[in-house]
């Protein structure tokens, strides 16, 4: 991000106090970021209704999310360069306005192809808004005020994915799936106007167009687009049994090697990888990756369990999963206050440990778990998220000079999204494999040689006999198979929760490598 213009600098005053215009402008950016992150998951609990609305197949409808994520992950690392080229003001105005128009087009999509195309536009433009807010926060607010700003950004970045299925489920139940996108129109229009009139944090640098790194942009699209496709479609296509997955794996690998070489040798790289020379930034990106695994993984697992095992509708699922978001809000003031007093490394360690505990509490999962059984695990995770997100932001970006924040913010946010994508792919694969393993084990042990199994089977036969007669034995056997599959599925979910908890526990082992960050830089000493 370019240095703030003289007008913006003057507005802040010598003591770092921002003008009302700057504060309102920054608030508009935060609302825009919330809108962009919310739309990643807002369709999660309503895919069945969207599928019926656009006459799509069960495998095809996943592209409503896949298209958005691929486009978003390509744009995020480019946002730093674009903010320098266009300025934060005009990049955000263009992105917010285009995102709003694309949302309206999603609502009137006439088939799956048109909906996916509009979702791709949504994701691409949404990807420009998210990292821009992080960079603006660290460029605008002095070190002593970054704790409060980190609370706001942390709430938005972590609550939006958690609230997405809840809001989406209630909207779909009360109105229709079209309102998942129509909701963005008034909000997007207000954000677009506010960004154009209030935001003036930096100046555009049109000279960058004369040195545009087209090769770098192309390689970013090839590498990250291919990688995201592999991660989204791999679990469904049995990974490398699919020729398409093999092809895109080659594209991602070759594109990745060429991208690193290009961006390290180009005079004006579109993605400056030299930010990774800062040790705190590298570790912060790794923690951002781990956060993505847990954040998006939990948002994925909870609605999936409640729909697949408990057979709840979107609104009911939303009521259960909203606990996490509620406790995030409740813990935000405490986390913000403690971040001004505690060593951020201690705070992050506590957050990682609590999140791992919240996941581990799900390891005793049974098929009849509902609202109250999930209450404590979700409450613990909700509290922990703010203790993770606030210190990670400051540990990652707090040691970098302002001119590197735009680019570094894009890379930092990219790592969280990649963590989510890789985590979801691993979770989906593990869930499938563990379900098969547990089903095989349970099926081997549910035989007529076991008295309990034989008694259950005979009881079911007697239950079905008045209606089905001679077919009652077959119906009872089918019912037992369903019970075995249900229990195998529940055991697989418990395994996955445990695995994600281990990932967070692993993060604690890296803590001794993290430098302390105080006010404006390492040890409070500035940059």
């Amino acid at each position: 991000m370019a240095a703030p213009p003289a007008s913006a600098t003057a507005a802040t005053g010598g003591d770092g106090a921002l003008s009302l215009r700057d504060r309102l402008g920054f608030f508009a950016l935060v609302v825009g970021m919330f809108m962009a992150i919310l739309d990643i998951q807002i369709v999660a609990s309503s895919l069945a209704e969207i599928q019926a609305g656009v006459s799509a197949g069960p495998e095809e409808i996943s592209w409503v999310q896949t298209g958005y994520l691929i486009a978003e992950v390509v744009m995020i690392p480019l946002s730093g360069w674009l903010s320098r080229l266009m300025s934060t003001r005009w990049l955000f105005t263009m992105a917010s306005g285009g995102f709003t128009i694309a949302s309206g087009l999603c609502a009137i999509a006439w088939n799956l192809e048109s909906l996916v195309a509009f979702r791709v536009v949504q994701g691409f433009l949404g990807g420009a808004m998210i990292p821009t807010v992080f960079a603006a926060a660290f460029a605008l607010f002095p070190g002593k005020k970054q704790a409060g700003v980190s609370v706001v950004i942390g709430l938005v970045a972590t609550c939006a994915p958690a609230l997405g299925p809840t809001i989406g489920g209630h909207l779909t139940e009360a109105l229709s799936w079209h309102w998942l996108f129509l909701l963005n129109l008034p909000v997007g229009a207000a954000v677009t106007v506010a960004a154009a009139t209030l935001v003036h944090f930096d100046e555009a640098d049109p000279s960058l167009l004369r040195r545009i790194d087209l090769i770098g942009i192309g390689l970013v699209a090839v590498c990250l687009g291919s990688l995201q496709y592999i991660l989204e479609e791999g679990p469904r296509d049995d990974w490398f049994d699919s020729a398409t997955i093999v092809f895109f794996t080659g594209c991602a690998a070759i594109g990745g090697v060429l991208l690193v070489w290009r961006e390290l040798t180009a005079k004006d790289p579109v993605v400056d990888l030299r930010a990774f020379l800062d040790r705190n930034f590298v570790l912060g990106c790794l923690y951002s990756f781990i956060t993505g695994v847990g954040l998006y993984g939990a948002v994925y697992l909870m609605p999936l369990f409640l729909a697949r095992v408990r057979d709840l509708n979107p609104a009911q699922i939303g009521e259960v999963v909203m606990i996490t978001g509620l406790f995030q809000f409740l813990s935000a003031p405490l986390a913000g206050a403690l971040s001004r007093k505690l060593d951020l490394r201690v705070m992050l360690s506590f957050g990682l440990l609590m999140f791992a505990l919240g996941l581990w509490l799900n390891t005793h999962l049974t098929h009849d778990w509902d609202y109250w059984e999930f209450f404590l695990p979700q409450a613990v995770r909700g509290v922990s998220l703010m203790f993770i997100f606030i210190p990670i932001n400051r540990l990652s970006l707090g040691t970098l000079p302002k001119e590197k924040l735009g680019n570094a913010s894009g890379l930092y946010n990219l790592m969280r999204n990649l963590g989510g994508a890789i985590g979801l792919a691993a979770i989906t694969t593990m869930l499938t494999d563990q379900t098969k393993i547990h089903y095989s084990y349970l099926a081997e042990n549910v035989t007529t040689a076991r008295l309990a199994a034989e008694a259950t089977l005979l009881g079911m036969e007697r239950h079905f006999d008045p209606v089905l007669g001679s077919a009652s034995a077959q119906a009872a056997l089918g019912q037992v198979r369903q019970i075995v599959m249900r229990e195998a599925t529940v055991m697989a979910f418990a395994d996955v929760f445990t695995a994600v908890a281990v990932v967070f526990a692993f993060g604690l082992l890296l803590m001794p490598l993290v430098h302390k960050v105080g006010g404006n830089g390492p040890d409070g000493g500035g940059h």
Side-chain angles (χ1 to χ4, degrees), residues 23 29 49 106 193 265 274 277 280 359 461 476 509 523:
R23 291 179 182 276
L29 299 188
E49 289 75 10
C106 286
V193 172
T265 57
R274 293 177 182 86
L277 295 174
N280 258 30
L359 291 165
E461 284 185 38
L509 300 179
D523 303 311

Side-chain angles (χ1 to χ4, degrees), residues 26-335:
F26 183 74
F27 176 75
L29 299 188
V30 172
V31 173
M33 181 178 77
F34 179 84
M35 184 172 63
I37 298 177
L38 182 74
D39 264 54
I40 299 172
Q41 294 289 349
I42 198 169
V43 301
S45 59
S46 305
L47 287 176
E49 289 75 10
I50 298 173
Q51 177 186 330
V54 296
S55 302
E59 294 297 321
E60 299 170 317
I61 197 61
S62 64
W63 274 97
V64 173
Q65 278 185 295
T66 302
Y68 188 102
L69 290 169
I70 289 176
E72 183 187 61
V73 84
V74 169
M75 168 55 93
I76 284 177
L78 302 178
S79 61
W81 182 83
L82 287 171
S83 67
R84 298 197 307 272
L85 172 69
M86 303 173 63
S87 79
T88 299
R89 176 187 189 182
W90 295 117
L91 172 62
F92 210 93
T93 299
M94 179 208 72
S96 176
F99 184 93
T100 305
I101 294 170
S103 297
L105 292 172
C106 286
I108 62 171
W110 49 94
N111 56 24
L112 178 65
E113 291 75 16
S114 62
L115 178 57
V116 171
F118 299 141
R119 283 284 285 174
V120 167
V121 176
Q122 254 196 325
F124 191 73
L125 295 172
M129 292 192 278
I130 297 169
T132 303
V133 178
F134 285 79
F138 278 86
L140 277 172
F141 293 90
K144 62 183 180 180
K145 294 187 177 180
Q146 283 174 7
V149 176
S150 292
V151 170
V152 175
I153 294 178
L155 276 174
V156 171
T158 56
C159 279
L163 292 175
T166 303
I167 295 173
H170 282 287
L171 279 174
T172 301
E173 285 290 310
L175 300 167
S176 73
W177 65 265
H178 303 85
W179 283 90
L180 303 178
F181 307 110
L182 292 174
L183 177 70
N184 291 330
L185 299 187
V187 179
V191 168
T192 301
V193 172
T197 55
L198 299 174
V199 174
H200 195 52
F201 303 151
D202 50 17
E203 298 288 356
D205 183 7
S207 67
L208 289 175
L209 277 179
R210 296 195 295 270
R211 310 187 301 273
I212 187 170
D213 183 15
L214 289 175
I215 295 176
I217 293 173
L219 289 172
V220 167
V222 170
C223 175
L224 295 181
S226 298
L227 179 60
Q228 188 70 32
Y229 177 87
I230 295 164
L231 296 172
E232 289 292 318
E233 296 300 312
R236 283 188 286 269
D237 294 342
D238 292 327
W239 294 101
F240 299 108
D241 289 340
S242 166
T244 304
I245 295 295
V246 172
F247 170 77
F248 279 108
T249 300
C251 290
I254 296 171
V257 171
L258 292 175
L259 176 63
V260 172
W261 171 79
R262 172 68 184 181
E263 299 310 281
L264 290 177
T265 57
K267 184 178 180 181
D268 294 292
V270 70
V271 180
D272 188 358
L273 300 179
R274 293 177 182 86
F276 287 111
L277 295 174
D278 184 290
R279 187 167 80 179
N280 258 30
F281 180 71
V282 172
L283 292 169
C285 283
L286 182 57
Y287 282 122
S288 182
F289 182 94
I290 292 172
T291 303
V293 173
L295 180 62
Y296 291 107
V299 170
Y300 171 76
L301 281 171
M302 286 293 299
L304 188 64
F305 175 87
L306 295 169
R308 184 181 294 180
V309 178
R310 297 290 300 154
D311 198 28
L312 302 186
N313 63 39
Q316 291 171 321
I317 292 172
E319 290 172 2
V320 177
V321 301
M322 72 181 293
I323 299 169
T324 302
L326 174 63
F327 275 85
Q328 284 175 245
F329 276 108
L330 294 176
S331 66
L334 175 62

Side-chain angles (χ1 to χ4, degrees), residues 262-440:
R262 172 68 184 181
E263 299 310 281
L264 290 177
T265 57
K267 184 178 180 181
D268 294 292
V270 70
V271 180
D272 188 358
L273 300 179
R274 293 177 182 86
F276 287 111
L277 295 174
D278 184 290
R279 187 167 80 179
N280 258 30
F281 180 71
V282 172
L283 292 169
C285 283
L286 182 57
Y287 282 122
S288 182
F289 182 94
I290 292 172
T291 303
V293 173
L295 180 62
Y296 291 107
V299 170
Y300 171 76
L301 281 171
M302 286 293 299
L304 188 64
F305 175 87
L306 295 169
R308 184 181 294 180
V309 178
R310 297 290 300 154
D311 198 28
L312 302 186
N313 63 39
Q316 291 171 321
I317 292 172
E319 290 172 2
V320 177
V321 301
M322 72 181 293
I323 299 169
T324 302
L326 174 63
F327 275 85
Q328 284 175 245
F329 276 108
L330 294 176
S331 66
L334 175 62
L338 289 177
S339 69
R340 298 182 180 94
K341 300 176 181 179
L342 282 180
D343 184 327
L344 295 178
R345 296 170 298 181
V346 173
M347 188 174 176
L348 177 56
S349 298
F350 174 77
L352 292 170
L353 187 62
M354 288 289 286
F355 198 96
L357 175 62
L359 291 165
W360 181 81
L361 289 172
N362 289 310
T363 56
H364 304 293
L365 194 63
T366 64
H367 71 270
D368 55 357
W369 271 38
D370 210 324
Y371 183 91
W372 289 110
E373 289 79 9
F374 280 118
F375 187 93
L376 180 60
Q378 288 195 98
V380 172
R381 289 205 311 272
V383 170
S384 70
L385 276 169
M386 295 309 299
F387 283 83
I388 293 173
F389 203 84
I390 293 173
I392 286 180
N393 282 352
R394 294 174 62 191
L395 288 170
S396 303
L397 303 175
T399 59
L400 297 173
K402 289 184 178 180
E403 63 271 15
K404 292 185 178 181
L405 284 173
N407 173 77
S409 175
L411 293 172
Y412 168 75
N413 281 276
L414 173 65
M415 292 303 293
R416 186 174 65 251
N417 277 37
L418 286 180
I422 292 173
L424 288 178
I427 284 170
T428 303
T429 301
M430 184 178 179
L431 202 56
T432 301
D433 292 345
Q434 290 300 107
T435 300
K436 291 177 181 177
I437 291 171
H438 287 303
Y439 181 84
S440 176

